[in-house]
DNA sequence: ACCTGAACACCGTTCAAGT
DNA sequence: ACCTGAACACCGTTCAAGT
């Protein structure tokens, strides 16, 4: 969808000079590459090769790699649809955060870029989307800050990774690997060894929605408490 | 502390051949470099230069960079002290997680390495330390899994970064940067612009303990609910 | 205006060769 | 046993030169 928009935009602006390489073409190609292998795998030389130009030519259109990635990640984050506004805010927030996290996992290196460049288009879009839901839910002032912070600290560990996992469900504690390791140091990880049978091979994906529900429930209880206090205050005078 | 332990270990094993470079010497030097600039800044060539050898010499002592970093990060994570066991488990967990997070922030790139190598000594130490507290608190089986998962999803966003921030308190939403950006696209981030005055310049560090308390409170309520159910079940027959 | 080519200062890693 | 040196296949970026 985002790619199609880019293609038509470049075509209309380059109507007079059809064979000229436009910045939007570079972004579109980079976006396609990112979809396949994530951000971390992108290099100026690889992008240039895909475009059949030299790497240094890219520097004519963009000041540096960050500027190009800023544009690309902006498109990625803007492609995340906003959940239906008529849903209860808890469900709306749940859907939004799951979609955002899915996107961060689909593009390894994206989360790191957004944190590194907190003023990038993608980072602002992430914030804006969450603020829309929180505001409609009734969060204001200090509570809004707190809610935004709480959601900022809710990060899928695999969003830290630079490679896309080959299997769908990534086990947090992989019995094989741990067993090999712990055999080398049997008295270093007593609890881990003892609890391994009940912990082994559980995946992040299984517990993501559960953990998220916990976070949202916490936010909801904050909001209710604030609402009660506000009503009491306004009723007194 | 960890460095002193390494030094003496290498001295005792190399008593017969005092001028020989030991793997522990390499680890000690790498550890010192990591303390100054984080993991992300370490390269085989830089480590070798500090040791006054060639980069390729390192490959005689370690199979690859990951093996060296595995050892180094193991020492880093093992240097985190376990909180006093006599404390209430909620306080114990709070102290542990704050210390762990402080360590991850002190060594940019460490969090990413631990996620990338979930069977590394450092990653296992992280898990072991948390399991010790959760087990003593009374978490078992599915609840233990859930608690561990919940804590896994609690990640400081700046742990994703590769550079240590120069200033102590890093603002999540920096008024200057955002204002510059949003002026270029005034109708793209309506909520962000509207709420900027009340959101601006608040730091992650201010909200970290608050967010953590929320997570721990959630875990505690889980534990209480489970305890009640178990007592009811055992009282019935 | 738009792009190339050479160059610089980096990476991780392999491998034959030296002592 | 322990290390060097050359080499390979990469990086991001600058800058003079071409058309």
């Amino acid at each position: 969808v985002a790619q199609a928009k880019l293609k038509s935009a470049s075509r209309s602006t380059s109507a007079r000079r059809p064979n000229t390489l436009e910045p939007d073409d570079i972004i579109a190609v980079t976006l396609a590459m990112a979809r396949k292998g994530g951000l971390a795998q992108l290099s100026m030389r690889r992008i240039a090769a895909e475009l059949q130009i030299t790497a240094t030519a890219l520097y004519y259109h963009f000041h540096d790699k960050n500027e190009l990635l800023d544009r690309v990640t902006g498109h990625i984050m803007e492609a995340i649809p906003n959940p239906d506004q008529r849903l209860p805010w808890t469900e709306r927030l749940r859907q939004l955060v799951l979609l955002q996290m899915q996107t961060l996992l689909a593009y390894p290196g994206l989360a790191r870029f957004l944190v590194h460049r907190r003023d990038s288009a993608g980072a602002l879009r992430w914030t804006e989307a969450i603020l829309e839901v929180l505001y409609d839910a009734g969060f204001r002032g200090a509570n809004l800050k707190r809610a935004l912070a709480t959601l900022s600290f809710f990060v899928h560990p695999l969003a830290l990774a630079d490679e896309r996992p080959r299997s769908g469900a990534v086990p947090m504690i992989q019995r094989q690997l741990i067993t090999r390791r712990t055999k080398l140091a049997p008295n270093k990880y007593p609890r881990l060894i003892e609890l391994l049978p009940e912990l082994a091979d559980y995946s992040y994906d299984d517990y993501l929605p559960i953990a998220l529900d916990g976070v949202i429930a916490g936010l909801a209880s904050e909001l209710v408490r604030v609402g009660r206090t506000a009503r009491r205050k306004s009723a007194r005078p």
Side-chain angles (χ1 to χ4, degrees), chain A residues 64 77 87 104 137 228:
Chain A
D64 59 9
M77 296 308 284
L87 289 170
L104 294 182
R228 276 205 207 104

Side-chain angles (χ1 to χ4, degrees), chain A residues 31-138:
Chain A
L31 199 49
M33 290 175 73
R35 250 192 292 272
K36 276 177 196 154
L39 284 199
Q41 146 264 195
L42 295 175
S43 82
M44 295 302 262
R45 281 175 167 86
R46 284 166 64 102
I47 296 165
E50 194 79 13
L51 287 157
Q52 311 217 49
I53 55 170
T54 61
T56 49
L58 292 171
Y59 287 84
Y60 178 79
H61 299 281
F62 299 95
H63 172 252
D64 59 9
K65 193 184 179 185
N66 275 333
E67 191 181 314
L68 172 54
L69 289 186
D70 195 310
R71 298 287 301 274
V72 170
T73 52
H75 276 106
I76 293 172
M77 296 308 284
E78 273 157 28
I80 300 175
N82 283 323
D84 191 337
Q85 294 193 11
R86 293 162 301 182
L87 289 170
W89 72 267
T90 50
E91 180 56 24
R92 226 177 121 189
L93 185 59
R94 186 186 141 93
Q95 285 187 18
L96 175 64
V97 172
L98 285 177
L99 273 173
Q100 286 177 334
M101 219 161 255
Q102 219 173 287
T103 304
L104 294 182
L105 294 177
Y107 296 86
L110 175 54
R112 191 148 55 97
F113 181 83
L114 297 183
V115 167
H116 182 236
R117 311 225 50 173
R118 290 185 291 283
D119 66 323
S120 65
L124 297 192
R125 181 60 230 170
W126 180 90
T127 311
E128 174 70 19
I130 286 184
L131 283 180
E132 281 172 18
V133 179
L134 291 179
Y135 187 88
D136 290 350

Side-chain angles (χ1 to χ4, degrees), chain A residues 130-176:
Chain A
I130 286 184
L131 283 180
E132 281 172 18
V133 179
L134 291 179
Y135 187 88
D136 290 350
F139 287 91
R140 297 290 188 281
N143 299 290
L144 182 63
K145 273 188 182 185
R146 284 239 293 269
L148 188 60
T150 300
L151 291 170
S152 301
F153 281 100
F154 186 67
V155 178
H156 196 303
L158 291 183
L160 285 152
D162 268 355
E163 284 170 41
R164 189 143 38 200
R166 40 220 153 289
S167 71
V170 177
M172 184 181 175
I173 293 183
Q174 211 165 349
R175 190 193 300 257
Q176 272 194 345

